Amino acid sequence: MPYKVIALLIYCLFATSSLSYSAPFKIATFHFPPYEYTTDEGITGISVDIVKAVFKEMEVEFKLIELPWSRGLRAIKKGNIDCFFEVLWKQEREAYMDYAKEVLMPETASFFVLAKSSIQFTRGFSSLAQYKIGMRQDFSYGSSFDKSVDSNQFKIIIKRTKNEDLLRMLNTGEIDLLIGDKYGILYLYQRTFIRHKHAIKRLKPDVEDTPSYMVFTKQHDLSALRDQFTKALRQFKADGRYQRIINRWEKILQQNIIENTPP
């Protein structure tokens, strides 16, 4: 009899565990327009539409939520969420998150300055070492920039959790440059420029093109879900559905995303 009781307890334990980690899967993203952001109608954006379409193709139930970036990293580490996107690769993150084997969305990091600024960027970070540079907390902008920050190549790095704060600081002169996504910063500026005194411009060339991914917590065994997502995403790219989603968003954003500053 005791053995039967123990066996029953073990069965219940594993059954409960299995139910806890099955669909609907809890997927989180963060506020990063135009890729992912929340409106009155819910969470939307370029990457959001791709993720929704891929999971629909997979016929897997999910719940999509938005979290602040740093909180999302903590949640995926603890296993409070199953998936998180769009995340750039960093070696230390592999200890607690499992990356999909296909790129979800390439991101391009660029420097932004006031339109009247004479600062130039010529691929070498040494030319910017004396300036105050703003960046998002716990954010990666590609391996080359990250290594320069880690090696203290820049004199002053100022970190904030929101790009809105960095734009304000750029306009007030608290920082000389900010680094951010080339579409995301201009998209945000177009919607907030009335509150800013000065126009901004994007420096060329870009800093780095960096792939971003869907990641899965390592607190649970989600390898099958990871592989299924990878396969479906690759098929979306192969048959053109991925590009059609991007093309549709480019039309929506055409009047808002420009190379330099609003007229």
Side-chain angles (χ1 to χ4, degrees):
M1 182 66 68
Y3 294 104
K4 292 183 179 180
V5 173
I6 293 173
L8 179 60
L9 289 173
I10 293 174
Y11 171 80
C12 291
L13 176 63
F14 278 95
T16 302
S17 176
S18 176
L19 287 173
S20 299
Y21 307 143
S22 61
F25 293 99
K26 195 172 184 180
I27 304 175
T29 188
F30 58 102
H31 185 73
F32 188 36
Y35 304 101
E36 44 264 341
Y37 59 101
T38 300
T39 68
D40 292 339
E41 298 178 354
I43 304 175
T44 187
I46 306 172
S47 299
V48 170
D49 280 1
I50 292 171
V51 168
K52 286 180 177 179
V54 170
F55 268 83
K56 183 178 180 180
E57 176 75 9
M58 293 162 54
E59 298 183 344
V60 172
E61 295 182 14
F62 66 94
K63 179 182 179 182
L64 183 61
I65 63 172
E66 182 181 295
L67 294 175
W69 169 252
S70 297
R71 190 185 303 172
L73 287 179
R74 292 194 296 269
I76 199 78
K77 187 174 185 178
K78 294 179 179 179
N80 295 334
I81 56 176
D82 299 302
C83 313
F84 192 38
F85 72 95
E86 53 198 62
V87 180
L88 274 58
W89 181 86
K90 295 189 86 171
Q91 186 172 2
E92 59 267 28
R93 291 175 182 168
E94 288 197 327
Y96 58 90
M97 62 175 66
D98 195 11
Y99 285 78
K101 305 304 181 183
E102 183 69 24
V103 174
L104 175 62
M105 179 64 61
E107 296 178 6
T108 302
S110 302
F111 284 117
F112 293 84
V113 297
L114 295 181
K116 62 182 181 180
S117 173
S118 60
I119 296 175
Q120 299 290 323
F121 174 53
T122 57
R123 283 289 182 190
F125 292 127
S126 59
S127 62
L128 305 177
Q130 72 271 30
Y131 297 110
K132 293 177 288 186
I133 301 176
M135 61 177 288
R136 287 187 69 177
Q137 180 75 36
D138 297 327
F139 217 77
S140 172
Y141 295 100
S143 59
S144 59
F145 181 80
D146 291 349
K147 289 178 182 178
S148 296
V149 172
D150 293 340
S151 62
N152 298 315
Q153 185 171 344
F154 302 107
K155 184 177 181 180
I156 300 177
I157 291 289
I158 298 176
K159 299 180 180 181
R160 294 292 184 270
T161 58
K162 296 181 179 180
N163 279 326
E164 290 89 338
D165 293 333
L166 295 175
L167 274 173
R168 176 188 57 78
M169 295 174 71
L170 182 64
N171 272 265
T172 58
E174 296 172 72
I175 57 176
D176 302 306
L177 307 90
L178 70 83
I179 186 171
D181 180 80
K182 72 173 183 179
Y183 292 143
I185 293 295
L186 290 174
Y187 175 94
L188 177 62
Y189 184 81
Q190 291 288 335
R191 283 156 175 73
T192 59
F193 75 91
I194 293 177
R195 301 201 302 266
H196 302 311
K197 295 180 180 179
H198 307 290
I200 66 171
K201 63 182 178 183
R202 178 168 66 94
L203 296 184
K204 295 181 180 180
D206 297 317
V207 176
E208 190 170 348
D209 290 322
T210 309
S212 68
Y213 299 86
M214 171 72 80
V215 299
F216 305 81
T217 182
K218 284 190 172 181
Q219 289 296 317
H220 322 310
D221 182 8
L222 298 176
S223 57
L225 181 66
R226 176 205 63 201
D227 293 343
Q228 188 179 2
F229 178 84
T230 297
K231 181 179 179 181
L233 180 57
R234 284 174 177 167
Q235 183 59 42
F236 257 67
K237 291 183 178 182
D239 62 24
R241 284 179 288 175
Y242 179 94
Q243 190 59 47
R244 285 197 292 272
I245 292 174
I246 293 177
N247 291 344
R248 176 167 54 82
W249 272 95
E250 284 182 345
K251 290 181 180 179
I252 295 173
L253 301 172
Q254 187 174 4
Q255 61 181 350
N256 298 315
I257 297 179
I258 57 177
E259 285 297 316
N260 292 303
T261 59

